[in-house]
Amino acid sequence: LRTIHLDGNHLSGTLSTKIGRLSTLEYFTISDNMIHGSIPTEIGDCSFLRHLWIKKNDITGVIPLSITSLTELQQIWLHENKLIGSIPAGIGAL
């Protein structure tokens, strides 16, 4: 599985920690839904992830430090959520 595109489907619930098992995932877009809870640290296990779009949801908490291990990441859209804290310093090196 390389692409998950679920934008604008009125989905609710949380992001599963099992997302880290999707080791070949390159594109993950789940914007414009009603997803709540935090971004699981296991997202950092998706080593081929290029595009992470989780904008316009109800995501809370901090941006996990594990995101800095996504060396293939080209785009990350997290705006219009309820995130707190600072942006992990390692994001600038991706």
Side-chain angles (χ1 to χ4, degrees), residues 4-9 11-12 14-15 19 27-35 52-57 59:
I4 295 176
H5 188 272
L6 297 169
D7 293 350
N9 282 293
L11 298 173
S12 61
T14 60
L15 296 174
I19 193 166
Y27 299 89
F28 182 62
T29 66
I30 193 164
S31 300
D32 299 306
N33 284 291
M34 296 171 281
I35 305 299
L52 176 61
W53 297 354
I54 311 176
K55 66 183 175 87
K56 295 184 180 180
N57 280 288
I59 301 295

Side-chain angles (χ1 to χ4, degrees), residues 3-85:
T3 302
I4 295 176
H5 188 272
L6 297 169
D7 293 350
N9 282 293
H10 304 286
L11 298 173
S12 61
T14 60
L15 296 174
S16 173
T17 58
K18 293 180 182 178
I19 193 166
R21 294 183 185 175
L22 300 173
S23 59
T24 58
L25 191 63
E26 294 181 21
Y27 299 89
F28 182 62
T29 66
I30 193 164
S31 300
D32 299 306
N33 284 291
M34 296 171 281
I35 305 299
H36 60 276
S38 60
I39 300 169
T41 58
E42 290 82 359
I43 195 84
D45 295 333
C46 299
S47 57
F48 291 101
L49 197 61
R50 295 176 182 267
H51 299 270
L52 176 61
W53 297 354
I54 311 176
K55 66 183 175 87
K56 295 184 180 180
N57 280 288
D58 289 316
I59 301 295
T60 57
V62 299
I63 300 171
L65 186 59
S66 64
I67 282 187
T68 62
S69 66
L70 299 173
T71 57
E72 299 296 321
L73 196 61
Q74 297 172 0
Q75 292 185 350
I76 181 170
W77 293 9
L78 301 176
H79 59 283
E80 297 186 50
N81 281 293
K82 297 174 183 171
L83 295 166
I84 60 170

